[in-house]
Amino acid sequence: MRILNDPSALAALPAGVVRTLLHKRFAELSEDEPYDPAVNGFFIVVEAGDGIDAVEQQSGCRLLSNRFSDGRFGGANFVPDWECLTFHAGRDGSPGCFEMVFVLCDDGYGVVIVIPLQGGIDPALLALCRAYSSPSPEFAVD
């Protein structure tokens, strides 16, 4: 898993939909003032082999269970904690990614978890994303 809290870290990501999306998000957060991870939050890119427990621990966010109830993904009383979960398609049939946004306090501080469609991503995490995501209102970002 990659923790990104500096736009310069994008250079280490492979070209594609994830890097393009995060470049856009860093730019949006920097429109009015310089990006500050202490104010704006940070990004996590899930990689092959990352378990859901590790993603939850790094992000401080619950993915498969509710924060205030006993609801779990797959159960009737599961209500996701994220603000939005969006699918971004890649161009020309290239794999896309999911973008899961958590706003953790009223001042806008948050965590964005990006889950690429690639081999080795936790099947339960991909099932969650497929079940709850909405397609991006934008055209492909790649």
Side-chain angles (χ1 to χ4, degrees), residues 15-36:
V17 66
V18 172
R19 186 166 72 182
T20 303
L21 173 66
L22 291 178
H23 177 75
K24 182 176 182 175
R25 296 301 181 243
F26 274 116
E28 290 168 347
L29 290 171
S30 302
E31 284 179 354
D32 297 326
E33 58 192 21
Y35 169 78
D36 180 351

Side-chain angles (χ1 to χ4, degrees), residues 26-138:
F26 274 116
E28 290 168 347
L29 290 171
S30 302
E31 284 179 354
D32 297 326
E33 58 192 21
Y35 169 78
D36 180 351
V39 173
N40 302 114
F42 61 97
F43 298 88
I44 294 176
V45 178
V46 177
E47 296 178 305
D50 291 342
I52 291 176
D53 291 342
V55 175
E56 288 182 334
Q57 184 177 17
Q58 284 294 323
S59 67
C61 303
R62 293 177 182 242
L63 305 181
L64 297 178
S65 63
N66 297 108
R67 187 176 357 168
F68 300 113
S69 74
D70 61 353
R72 293 202 47 82
F73 173 58
N77 60 345
F78 176 70
V79 178
D81 286 342
W82 58 77
E83 298 294 320
C84 65
L85 175 56
T86 306
F87 174 70
H88 299 278
R91 286 191 181 157
D92 302 324
S94 64
C97 67
F98 296 98
E99 177 186 22
M100 186 181 288
V101 178
F102 292 87
V103 178
L104 302 177
C105 58
D106 291 340
D107 64 3
Y109 181 88
V111 176
V112 175
I113 302 172
V114 177
I115 304 101
L117 283 173
Q118 67 183 40
I121 299 297
D122 188 304
L125 181 55
L126 289 176
L128 173 77
C129 290
R130 288 184 178 112
Y132 285 93
S133 66
S134 300
S136 173
E138 306 166 301

